[in-house]
Amino acid sequence: MSESSRWERIVQQIRRRPGLVETLPAGEASIVRDALAGRDVHEIATRRQMSEEAVWEILGNAARLAAGDAPSQRVEVGGLGSDTDPGVTGGYGETGFGSPGLEPPEPIPEEPEEERGEGG
């Protein structure tokens, strides 16, 4: 499906339920109003300083609501070993497999003596 036909389908779906805009949060409602006024995704995204993907998501959810379906929910999940505790060690303590090597280097109390060359 082309982007323009997808756009037309979404806008038509939203138009089927005229009172929908008033039920949306202010930011989403203004994006839907822009779409209904004939602005395209790129123009809306530029005016709102947001990604086109975010505009598509908001309008897609509005179309689903207009059809009586539940809006989709984006879920972001951190991967295995995700750093959830920003700190000196990055949230990683002892692993059970030995130290992760995040300790600072041992201080050297004295500077090593420089080797003296001949003639010096």
Side-chain angles (χ1 to χ4, degrees):
M1 177 183 313
S2 73
E3 188 172 293
S4 64
S5 62
R6 178 182 174 202
W7 180 254
E8 289 172 22
R9 186 175 54 99
I10 286 174
V11 171
Q12 286 174 359
Q13 187 70 41
I14 294 170
R15 282 193 174 127
R16 290 183 187 152
R17 189 166 163 211
L20 172 71
V21 176
E22 285 74 33
T23 67
L24 298 173
E28 293 178 18
S30 64
I31 289 169
V32 171
R33 281 189 196 100
D34 283 350
L36 293 173
R39 292 188 174 91
D40 65 18
V41 173
H42 178 73
E43 184 180 356
I44 294 170
T46 302
R47 287 174 51 126
R48 307 276 175 206
Q49 298 181 344
M50 60 193 311
S51 71
E52 290 182 19
E53 179 184 355
V55 173
W56 279 113
E57 184 175 350
I58 289 168
L59 292 173
N61 281 339
R64 281 188 278 287
L65 284 171
D69 297 331
S72 66
Q73 295 291 323
R74 178 181 293 225
V75 177
E76 294 185 19
V77 180
L80 181 63
S82 292
D83 184 359
T84 59
D85 181 15
V88 175
T89 63
Y92 300 100
E94 288 298 322
T95 62
F97 299 104
S99 173
L102 300 173
E103 294 79 22
E106 291 291 324
I108 301 173
E110 297 177 14
E111 292 293 322
E113 291 184 28
E114 293 182 21
E115 291 186 31
R116 298 179 188 219
E118 291 183 38

